[in-house]
Amino acid sequence: MITAFSNCPYAIASHDTNSVFNYANEVSLQLFKTNWDEMIGAHSSVSASKSLQSDRNKMLKRVVREGYVDNYKGNRMTFDGSFFQINDATIWNIVDSKNNSQGQAVLIMDHS
């Protein structure tokens, strides 16, 4: 497991260009009520209910266009099917040294 940000008090997660989770720190794993083996490799759409997929997709497209979205608020679903509210998050594009997209990441600063 990658241990970067392991001591961060906020949830951090990322997915690749196919929307497959490729990183989650311990806080994120706890927030989504899962473990590393279950989350890594799962499609990140599992984080939103079917009724919220359209809103999620619009937000991710906005991130692609603008580079990032801050002060994001939205409802998300845990791996056990329960829900939580994101009250403040930043989502950004991950790019390599040649500015090629490598996916997106999220920093969840506040949730309830």
Side-chain angles (χ1 to χ4, degrees):
M1 175 189 340
I2 300 170
T3 58
F5 309 110
S6 61
N7 294 325
C8 180
Y10 306 110
I12 300 173
S14 65
H15 65 223
D16 64 17
T17 56
N18 295 313
S19 295
V20 173
F21 280 119
N22 58 10
Y23 179 77
N25 70 351
E26 188 60 36
V27 176
S28 183
L29 295 173
Q30 291 171 10
L31 181 60
F32 283 95
K33 298 182 180 179
T34 190
N35 60 57
W36 179 266
D37 292 332
E38 187 176 31
M39 189 163 180
I40 303 308
H43 198 275
S44 63
S45 64
V46 301
S47 68
S49 67
K50 288 182 182 182
S51 65
L52 295 174
Q53 288 298 320
S54 178
D55 290 340
R56 176 186 173 275
N57 292 336
K58 286 177 189 173
M59 180 270 303
L60 293 176
K61 286 178 183 176
R62 182 175 163 213
V63 174
V64 168
R65 270 191 330 272
E66 299 177 16
Y68 74 98
V69 169
D70 59 359
N71 300 311
Y72 173 75
K73 294 174 177 29
N75 292 309
R76 286 295 174 263
M77 188 168 65
T78 67
F79 276 65
D80 73 0
S82 59
F83 293 90
F84 65 94
Q85 173 73 34
I86 295 173
N87 301 316
D88 183 14
T90 300
I91 303 107
W92 68 95
N93 292 323
I94 301 170
V95 296
D96 63 19
S97 61
K98 295 180 182 177
N99 208 33
N100 296 314
S101 177
Q102 299 299 311
Q104 295 174 323
V106 63
L107 169 64
I108 301 173
M109 302 289 290
D110 185 39
H111 61 86
S112 52

